[in-house]
Amino acid sequence: MRFSKAALAALAVTGVLAQPASALEQHQYNNTQTQGGNSIAQHGFWQLQAGDDGTSDITFECYANGAPLATGIGFKACYLEGADGTIYDAEDTTARPGFAAATAAAFLDAKTQRHRICIQTSAFFGSESVFMETTKTCSTFQ
């Protein structure tokens, strides 16, 4: 049976974070950028399950949607950055037809530290294929 990267990431998120909720850190970031009447809303979510050994299991997801009527959308960047500069990249930034896209990743035994999520998205809008690219934006370290 063949799984897509997104399906495997979703399974990893479910399995890695099937831990007691009391030990789970959850964070989110939202950013909307507008250009010439078109908007892209970008959302980042990440969760950390800290261990007793100075490491954490991490999952994160980037989601974006374009309005009005984006005909294709994709990520130029979706990654989690540690306070020490370590980058955890979602890697699957493939553009897809339609008005919304999502990508995710999971990492085991990452260094326990504060993180921020960074997102950059591009999309085509309407029948004339107007192109819009957001400025890369990052959350604060949390």
Side-chain angles (χ1 to χ4, degrees):
M1 185 178 295
R2 188 174 175 172
F3 291 96
S4 70
K5 285 183 183 178
L8 288 174
L11 288 171
V13 168
T14 303
V16 167
L17 298 178
Q19 304 291 327
S22 61
L24 184 67
E25 287 185 37
Q26 299 182 10
H27 306 278
Q28 66 179 8
Y29 175 67
N30 300 299
N31 173 271
T32 300
Q33 297 181 32
T34 302
Q35 180 182 4
N38 296 314
S39 294
I40 297 176
Q42 306 172 113
H43 311 281
F45 309 94
W46 69 102
Q47 300 177 324
L48 293 90
Q49 179 71 49
D52 295 332
D53 61 354
T55 65
S56 295
D57 295 337
I58 300 172
T59 62
F60 67 96
E61 172 187 340
C62 293
Y63 170 80
N65 63 297
L69 195 60
T71 56
I73 193 165
F75 296 97
K76 292 199 70 162
C78 172
Y79 60 88
L80 203 63
E81 180 181 359
D84 69 354
T86 303
I87 301 291
Y88 302 98
D89 198 338
E91 295 182 10
D92 181 12
T93 56
T94 306
R96 293 181 171 71
F99 64 91
T103 189
F107 294 89
L108 302 177
D109 300 323
K111 180 181 175 183
T112 299
Q113 60 182 315
R114 293 166 33 110
H115 293 85
R116 69 179 183 169
I117 197 161
C118 298
I119 308 169
Q120 185 177 17
T121 311
S122 59
F124 285 99
F125 290 87
S127 60
E128 296 179 22
S129 293
V130 174
F131 180 75
M132 177 185 168
E133 181 174 292
T134 64
T135 301
K136 183 174 73 175
T137 183
C138 299
S139 68
T140 59
F141 283 100
Q142 299 175 37

